[in-house]
Each structure stands twice: as structure tokens, then as C-alpha cells.
Amino acid sequence: MKKIEKILQKEELEKEDLVYLLSLEDDDEIELLRQKAEKVLFDFVGNKVFYRGLIEFSNICTSDCFYCGIRKSNAKPSRYSLSEEEIIEQAKQCADLGYGSIVLQSGERSDEKFVSFVEKTVKKIKENSISEKLPDGLGITLCVGEQSEENYRRLYNAGAHRYLLRIEATNPILFEKIHPPSQKYETRIQALKALKKVGFQVGTGVMIGLPEQSYEDLAGDILFFKEMDIDMLGMGPYLVHNETPFAKYSDYYEKNKEKIYKLGLKMIALCRIFLKDVNIASTTALEAMHECGREDGLSFGANVIMPQLTPIYRRKEYLLYEGKPCMELSAEEFNISISNKIASIGRVVGRDLWGDSKHALKKTESK
Ligand code: SAH
């Protein structure tokens, strides 16, 4: 029996197994990994794909992450914030399209004006009887960065019940290399803990294919997700943005594109196999690298898609990296194209549902 088959038969994978599987290059072996992940997905989660309409409501950011196109030191994008009315309109459209949940994402800010705006907007969206098919309103996931526990509590009490905060890299040395000294690894860990304490279903994730990132780092990321008992994962390949300090890695990135793409898919498969019942998003960054990125992500074990619901005239100002896809596609057009893609790989869409992760639901049931 080949080494990969032996590993995939194990009940519990160890770190060295994860490292080995991440290093697979042979397409037939990667296919074995994919099949295993798909089986775990069907056994533990099912074949439904859940949608979260993504509303990038502001690109104003106080952080200066070395990789990110909306970092505060980039003077190129014009900075915007959608009004409450604009956000509610997009949320309504989302409900009309049968997406049971939204993600409100923005640059990082923790000033009172911002936090009370998000709080108020979340309340409004929840109060609105947005669709008769959603008796409890839309499910709301927030992705608005590091905040104090008190702020997290306010946002939770307003009615959001899921929160995404990527750790970006769980090796503290790598984390330090990709962030300025003012952004601390420990603060991020504390923020993740605070989110859990407040009661959010918590999602995190990393960028895959960062310069100087090793397979050991990525295996460590997977162990971290387990240890933190996270409910959801949003991971994607790292992509270069030319107006960032990391533009210097453009050559490295160009040379390794294919490898990074495959690594992104292998990470999804391994997280599915290792964590079993969490929600995993097939992210936009995958599609930015490959036109089949979203469906590839799904067939490697992801079960969540985040269609763009940022108004088209703002999308070009929310450029985290070069080559962001779907810049001109209306929500309706995207809906048709993604529905066809999902059907083409034998999966079904979970319409008008919040689609919480089985992992999170299990925790509430046992309370
Ligand atoms: N300010 C929010 C949202 C940030 S953008 C927060 O901190 O949670 C959402 C994610 O985009 C980030 O967490 C990061 O992982 C990803 N991202 C940013 N720049 C990227 C790049 N150049 N390539 C790939 N992903 C990137």
C-alpha cells in the first residue's frame, strides 16, 4: 500500500502526516486526498452548499498589514463607507436571492462612531422583516477586525451571531513578518478568545502561500484550528497587491502560482478531514487564481460560498489583492453562474437557511 493510502486510513492524523499530505505534488495522489475530504464532508456535514452574501461596507482601515491592498498607508483607493440604507438594500437583495445569511466586512476600525454604526445597522437588518422565508431574519456574520470584548458583546447583542477574524498565520514569527510591530499576535489571540466568550460562532483562517511559509507552519495552523475549537474557516491563497510592501514578492508569487493554488485546495481538504464538521468557505481568492476556483474549493471539502453583494461601483475600491474576480457581475448573474457550477459537481444549494456549522450546532445542543 502506498504511503498516502496508509495515512488516509488513519483515524487521527498527526502533524507529520499533515506535513506529508500538504507536500503532495502528484495529481493522482492529490485526487485521493480530495476524495477522502469529500467523503468526510458527506458523512459529517452533507452535500448542501450555503451562501453568505458578502457586503464590503467600508474600506477605511486603521491597520497596515504588509500584504493587504486596503492598508492605511495605501493612498490609492478612494475611501468609502456605505450608508445604513445602502447596506439594508443589499441585505434585502440577498434575502430575495434566497441567501439566508450575510457577511458584513470592512477595514479595521474600533472608534465609537464605527462600532455604534455597525451595532445600529445590524439591529435594523434584524428588525426588518426581510423575507417571509426567513422567520428569524437574515443570519449575520461580522468581519470587522479586532475589537474589545465589550464591543464584541454589543455587536452580538445587536443580533449578529457569527464572527470571522483570521489569525492570518499561527506561527508568531511568520505573523510578525507580515504585520507592523503595532499589530500583535497576542492581541489577535485574545480577540478570538473574547469572541468565543461573548457567544459568537467563531471563524478564523490563514493565508496560504505566504513568502517564507512552510508546510510545518500550515500543519500548525490546522492544529491551532482544532485546539481553538473553531466553528468556521475562511482561508485562501495569498495574492500580491502592487501597492503594498509585499509587492517585492511579485516574482516569487508568479513563479509559484500553480503550487500555491494547489496548496490552497490541499489545505481545504486537510481541514475537512481533520476538523470534520466545521463550515469551510471556498473563498474569492481561489477564484482570483483560477476560473474554476470556487467549485474546486467545494469539491475539496468546502461547503460555503460568499457571493459578492458589495455594490458594483464600490468593488474596485475594496481591492485586497490584484485580480479580484466578479468585479462587474451583478448579484443575479453571479447567482445563476454559481448555481450551475454547484449543480455541475453534484451538490445542492441550501436556500433560505442560515446554514450554521454542524460543529457550532452541536455545542448549543449540548448546553
Ligand atoms: N479588517 C477585517 C477584514 C479584512 S479583509 C479583518 O481584519 O477581519 C479579509 C481577509 O482578506 C483578511 O483577513 C486577509 O486574510 C485577506 N487578505 C488581505 N489581503 C490579502 C491578499 N493580498 N491576498 C489574499 N488574502 C488577503
Side-chain angles (χ1 to χ4, degrees), residues 67-68 105-108 143 145 166 168 207 237-239 320-321:
Y67 45 85
C68 182
Q105 190 182 91
S106 71
E108 192 131 337
C143 183
R166 290 190 183 180
E168 314 295 1
M207 280 173 293
Y238 160 68
L239 296 120
L320 306 174
Y321 43 76

